[in-house]
Amino acid sequence: MTEAERPPRPLAQLVAVLVLGALMLAGFMWLGLWQIERRAWKHDLIDRVEARLSAPVEPLAQITGPPEDREYSRVRVTGRFDHSAEVLVQAVTELGGGFWVLTPLHLDQGGSVLVNRGFIPPQRRDPATRAAAQPEGAVSVTGLLRLTEPEGAFLRQNDPAGGRWYSRDVAAIAQHLGLPDAAPDFIDADADPAVIAAGGPQGGLTVVQFRGTHLIYALTWFTLAGLVAFALPVLIRHEYRLRR
């Protein structure tokens, strides 16, 4: 039986197909518009981050406001590192797999902040292998303010008791280390050539590039919506002719 010889669909079935098609059309259009909104948000985020990256360095105490207005601000802090309390967080970077070295910095003005001193390969996990890169006394740290990464990574929960960390969860690390006065954010330290030369952490690896694929996704959803919008009238005309 050819398509032209096929009897008309039952009315209930035809209505169901048309309703489903209308829902698909509305859904694809909504997804396309949502991606357009996300694209505008992403471009605004990129503009704001670029402005912060090029802004003068400020003391940490002067960085206020909601989280989205603090992240990637360039800050400077002074204090003393507590290397005995460093935490290693698993990381994958452009240098390979290894760990971030997060160390509490006790600030001159009181309180503390976690500083991500940078990346180390697995063979440098033992602090004794980089003892020359553990500065003692007062230090000044410049870097980018970063927001906490709560709970862990995908399918991996932080295990403070076991010493296994998969994300830079400031609240959990501060609680584990007994730092009730720790700042809610952490600092990604800039690269320090002297520390790197002594076998210490490689700073300055903050990724500040954002993927901009929203337009591609939006065009995909609008294309699907166009296909549905084309198919529905064709179906209606065909069913109408079968019923004549």
Side-chain angles (χ1 to χ4, degrees):
M1 179 184 296
T2 65
E3 184 65 18
E5 296 171 338
R6 180 183 60 80
R9 288 182 174 84
L11 183 59
Q13 184 183 95
L14 177 60
V15 171
V17 171
L18 293 176
V19 169
L20 178 61
L23 291 175
M24 292 176 62
L25 175 60
F28 291 148
M29 287 296 297
W30 180 85
L31 288 170
L33 292 173
W34 177 66
Q35 288 294 338
I36 293 296
E37 292 179 358
R38 290 283 296 173
R39 181 175 183 269
W41 169 84
K42 179 65 68 65
H43 280 251
D44 179 64
L45 172 64
I46 292 172
D47 291 341
R48 286 187 282 117
V49 169
E50 289 180 348
R52 292 171 200 163
L53 293 176
S54 60
V57 177
E58 296 185 271
L60 176 62
Q62 295 184 13
I63 306 299
T64 59
E68 61 272 15
D69 291 341
R70 299 196 306 267
E71 190 169 26
Y72 299 111
S73 297
R74 292 194 54 77
V75 298
R76 179 181 291 113
V77 289
T78 56
R80 295 173 182 270
F81 279 122
D82 182 0
H83 297 291
S84 66
E86 74 174 24
V87 168
L88 301 183
V89 181
Q90 288 195 11
V92 177
T93 73
E94 61 189 47
L95 301 177
F99 303 91
W100 297 122
V101 179
L102 265 68
T103 308
L105 182 73
H106 299 293
L107 304 174
D108 290 344
Q109 67 270 28
S112 59
V113 62
L114 288 175
V115 176
N116 176 20
R117 298 184 60 215
F119 173 83
I120 57 169
Q123 62 269 27
R124 293 283 187 179
R125 180 171 185 169
D126 186 348
T129 64
R130 44 189 165 84
Q134 308 284 69
E136 301 292 340
V139 295
S140 179
V141 176
T142 301
L144 299 178
L145 195 63
R146 301 295 309 282
L147 304 184
T148 183
E149 300 167 349
E151 298 183 2
F154 180 65
L155 298 179
R156 285 181 159 186
Q157 294 293 313
N158 292 324
D159 179 14
R164 289 183 288 272
W165 297 92
Y166 304 104
S167 73
R168 293 165 291 189
D169 186 336
V170 173
I173 294 174
Q175 181 179 10
H176 175 68
L177 297 178
L179 302 172
D181 56 358
D185 310 314
F186 67 94
I187 297 174
D188 271 349
D190 290 344
D192 186 330
V195 169
I196 297 171
Q202 167 74 61
L205 296 179
T206 308
V207 177
V208 292
Q209 296 177 339
F210 303 92
R211 295 180 61 191
T213 57
H214 297 292
L215 182 59
I216 296 175
Y217 292 148
L219 292 175
T220 300
W221 292 123
F222 287 142
T223 299
L224 292 173
L227 292 175
V228 174
F230 172 79
L232 286 178
V234 172
L235 174 62
I236 293 171
R237 285 196 300 268
H238 182 69
E239 289 294 325
Y240 174 76
R241 288 170 183 156
L242 291 177
R243 283 170 166 78
R244 291 185 61 181

